[in-house]
Amino acid sequence: MSGQNFAKFVHWGRNIIAVGRNYRDHCLELGNQVPTKPLLFMKPPSAYLEVGTGPIQIPRGCTDMHHEVELGVVIGDTCRDVTEDQVMSLIAGYTLTLDMTARDFQEDAKKRGNPWTMAKCFDTALPVSRFITTKELTNPENVKLWCKVNDEIRQNGNTADMVFSIPYLISYISQYFTLQPGDLVLTGTPAGVGRVVPGDIIIAGLGDIVSMKFDIIQRV
Ligand code: MG
């Protein structure tokens, strides 16, 4: 692995590939079919919000913003047509993320057959924790993911329940997108997604490894 400072991947990483509908119970709660191949979309680096740097902002006109807690995988080395067996050695580390989603914008886009850009890519749509090393998270495929809103537990999942595993996802993605060091792969959210409103406080965690807290405000 090259000499990059992965603790600061947010500042220099480029592509962010997100996987939708990767937990069966979450597919069902939104009335979607469980996919037979990964559903991919992207988020831009401008959507990053590092923990401790400010609140999550509900975009203008959105009345149904949802939290989606997800494990993010930080790529450590170039991945192009990599096999599943190669994937774990190409990972630099992890981060806990919230794939913030303007669900009303997304439902409208789905109805019209439009892209999800407005629903997924706005400023502050990707809050992240600090960087988590591979030594801290030795088994990324069996770790609890949870999300509380104002002390009410909303999401309480485990990465063991992913439809497509981390090696499968990264191998699959690498057949279409060359992943570079510092790129991020979001691995999907478990059930329990729901609305947040201005004044709410989100606290999310990955096992007992990391937790993070964000205030919600309306963008004015
Ligand atoms: Mg998501």
Side-chain angles (χ1 to χ4, degrees):
M1 237 168 257
S2 39
Q4 283 105 339
N5 181 1
F6 284 102
K8 301 266 186 205
F9 76 93
V10 164
H11 298 275
W12 54 269
R14 298 191 304 177
N15 285 331
I16 301 160
I17 314 270
V19 179
R21 304 175 190 165
N22 200 31
Y23 288 78
R24 201 166 270 102
D25 53 356
H26 170 63
C27 296
L28 300 179
E29 74 179 344
L30 291 186
N32 293 312
Q33 301 235 324
V34 178
T36 53
K37 59 183 179 182
L39 168 65
L40 305 182
F41 62 96
M42 296 188 77
K43 289 173 90 95
S46 55
Y48 275 132
L49 175 65
E50 289 179 276
V51 65
T53 64
I56 298 168
Q57 299 180 35
I58 298 174
R60 292 181 184 137
C62 170
T63 58
D64 194 19
M65 184 151 88
H66 280 201
H67 53 81
E68 297 187 359
V69 68
E70 308 198 4
L71 176 63
V73 180
V74 181
I75 301 298
D77 216 332
T78 303
C79 298
R80 177 182 162 88
D81 292 331
V82 297
T83 65
E84 290 183 56
D85 286 347
Q86 293 172 315
V87 165
M88 297 314 284
S89 66
L90 299 168
I91 291 174
Y94 303 91
T95 185
L96 181 64
T97 73
L98 287 162
D99 170 20
M100 297 305 297
T101 303
R103 193 72 71 202
D104 48 351
F105 293 0
Q106 187 190 33
E107 290 302 326
D108 185 63
K110 281 161 70 177
K111 256 184 232 134
R112 296 170 193 269
N114 286 343
W116 292 0
T117 312
M118 290 293 285
K120 292 285 195 179
C121 303
F122 52 89
D123 292 350
T124 78
L126 185 49
V128 294
S129 75
R130 68 169 176 83
F131 179 72
I132 299 163
T133 66
T134 53
K135 284 202 179 76
E136 289 177 281
L137 181 57
T138 51
N139 192 356
E141 304 208 83
N142 184 5
V143 64
K144 285 185 176 167
L145 270 178
W146 53 269
C147 179
K148 288 198 280 191
V149 178
N150 306 329
D151 286 332
E152 177 202 348
I153 190 85
R154 295 269 191 94
Q155 295 188 266
N156 195 7
N158 190 304
T159 59
D161 296 323
M162 286 185 194
V163 175
F164 301 106
S165 69
I166 292 169
Y168 184 90
L169 286 173
I170 291 178
S171 171
Y172 179 86
I173 291 167
S174 81
Q175 297 174 47
Y176 300 92
F177 305 90
T178 300
L179 295 168
Q180 299 286 357
D183 287 352
L184 184 70
V185 174
L186 303 183
T187 56
T189 196
V193 302
R195 180 180 298 173
V196 288
V197 298
D200 282 349
I201 295 171
I202 298 184
I203 303 180
L206 182 71
D208 53 11
I209 297 170
V210 81
S211 70
M212 60 181 187
K213 179 178 171 183
F214 291 91
D215 295 326
I216 306 290
I217 67 166
Q218 177 67 50
R219 176 168 176 158
V220 290

